[in-house]
Structure formats: structure tokens, C-alpha cells
Amino acid sequence: MAVRRRNPGRLSLLWVSALLLSASVSAQPTTTVGSLTLRSDPGDWIGQGGTYQYSAASTPVVGYAPGGRRIEVLFGRTGPSWRMSFEAADGLPLTPGVYPNAQRQPFQDPGHPGLAVYGLGRGCNTLTGTFTVHQIGYRPSPYYTGYDGIAFFWATFEQHCDGRPPALRGEVRYNIDDAAMLPVPVFGPLECSVFVAAIAAAGVAVLRRSV
């Protein structure tokens, strides 16, 4: 009877892959935690010069990621509410990095990322801004059938309505409550493509990168 020999190298690779996947899955948050902090300059149309802070413990929060191309986060479904949209340029997947020269999502020009933060019944007709994605991860959405959901998301942002100097600045954390603020790279379209290709080649199903 022929005996099939096992490939030690292949077994080692499988064990490493299994351990990495196990660590990734066990690290995912199982409950929604997070916060939203907003600081508005005097003259900013959206925030009216105020400071706002919300916690997921007291304010309903929903997040989803249509096609993995953009992130939508909604704080407060009744009463005062805020909605944020973050989208990479040219339909690329949203990954950790700095996204400068953002325009109003979903009307941004080619080559520009999309950003839109609006609330309290106010929004920008046009806007310019920048945002930084510090951490991001995806999973099937429990709220929207056929859409991707957010496993975790952390971003900071600044936007200016209608070409005016006053800014609305903020930070949103979704399923993240203890992350540390660290520098992140600036991602243009080429860098995004290379990063996503590297992740796909490694066979990673859920992306998590702390930056």
C-alpha cells in the first residue's frame, strides 16, 4: 500500500495561517462601542461654532460599507443626528492612510476622495477637506442585506463648507475604544492599489491594520 508523505513545509504554513486567522477573528469586537467628537469653528455652517461629543453607549450608532468603497456612520437615529461618509478616490477600497483634497461625497471629481459630514439638519452644498483613516475592518452587514458592514473604524477629519475658512473637525470611532493616535502614510491611488493587491495575495479575509 502506497503511503502519501506529508509536506512539512506546507503543514507549517497551514499552522501559521490558522494561528493568524484565529488571532484576527478573536481580536474583532463583538459589541458596538465608540464615540464621535466634533469641534466647529465660529462661522462654520454645520456645527455653528459648537463642540459636540457622543458615545455609542448612549447614542444609537450604525455603520456600513457599500461595496467596501466607502464608509457610512450614523450617530443618532432619533433626535440630534450626525452622518459621515468617507470614500477613497476613483472607486478604490478604503484603507488606512491620509486622504487629502477631499470633495463632497458622492459628487467628488475623479482623483479626489469623498467626504461628507452633516448633522442637526445642516449640510454643505460643496466642501473641501481631508481625512485620515487610522483603522478599518469589514464584515457582513447586520443592517443592510447585500452590503458590507464595518467590523471597526477609526478616522479623524476636517471639512470646510462652500470654500469658507471656518472648519468642522472631528473624530469618529466605531467598535474602537482604546486605540492610540499614531502617524499614518499618505495613500494615493497607486499606493492603495499596491496595498490591496498585497492583502489579496496573502489571502487575508478581514483587514486590520493599526496605524
Side-chain angles (χ1 to χ4, degrees):
M1 179 179 66
V3 177
R4 184 177 181 181
R5 295 183 179 181
R6 296 182 177 181
N7 186 328
R10 180 177 176 83
L11 287 177
S12 299
L13 180 60
L14 289 174
W15 273 109
V16 170
S17 300
L19 288 173
L20 289 174
L21 180 59
S22 175
S24 174
V25 171
S26 63
Q28 306 311 310
T30 56
T31 58
T32 299
V33 297
S35 61
L36 172 63
T37 302
L38 298 159
R39 298 174 300 280
S40 171
D41 291 342
D44 167 55
W45 166 244
I46 305 297
Q48 299 286 293
T51 299
Y52 309 86
Q53 189 161 9
Y54 303 89
S55 168
S58 57
T59 304
V61 56
V62 175
Y64 62 103
R69 296 184 298 105
R70 75 175 189 269
I71 292 291
E72 302 273 355
V73 182
L74 174 64
F75 262 82
R77 282 171 283 179
T78 59
S81 64
W82 294 85
R83 186 163 188 159
M84 291 142 282
S85 301
F86 305 88
E87 184 172 2
D90 302 323
L92 291 171
L94 194 62
T95 59
V98 179
Y99 294 83
N101 303 315
Q103 298 177 348
R104 182 187 170 191
Q105 194 279 332
F107 306 109
Q108 67 268 27
D109 294 329
H112 290 265
L115 170 67
V117 180
Y118 48 97
L120 305 180
R122 292 185 287 271
C124 301
N125 292 318
T126 63
L127 67 81
T128 56
T130 182
F131 62 91
T132 299
V133 176
H134 298 275
Q135 292 188 5
I136 189 170
Y138 301 100
R139 68 181 178 190
S141 173
Y143 306 106
Y144 299 92
T145 302
Y147 280 38
D148 292 326
I150 309 173
F152 44 87
F153 181 65
W154 174 26
T156 50
F157 55 86
E158 176 179 328
Q159 78 170 21
H160 301 259
C161 271
D162 303 319
R164 298 172 181 171
L168 176 68
R169 300 175 180 89
E171 176 181 8
V172 58
R173 298 186 182 194
Y174 182 90
N175 273 342
I176 291 178
D177 59 0
D178 58 355
M181 186 78 73
L182 296 173
V184 296
V186 176
F187 279 175
L190 177 60
E191 289 83 356
C192 284
S193 300
V194 171
F195 182 75
V196 172
I199 292 296
V204 178
V206 176
L207 165 65
R208 178 167 189 171
R209 179 183 177 187
S210 298
V211 292

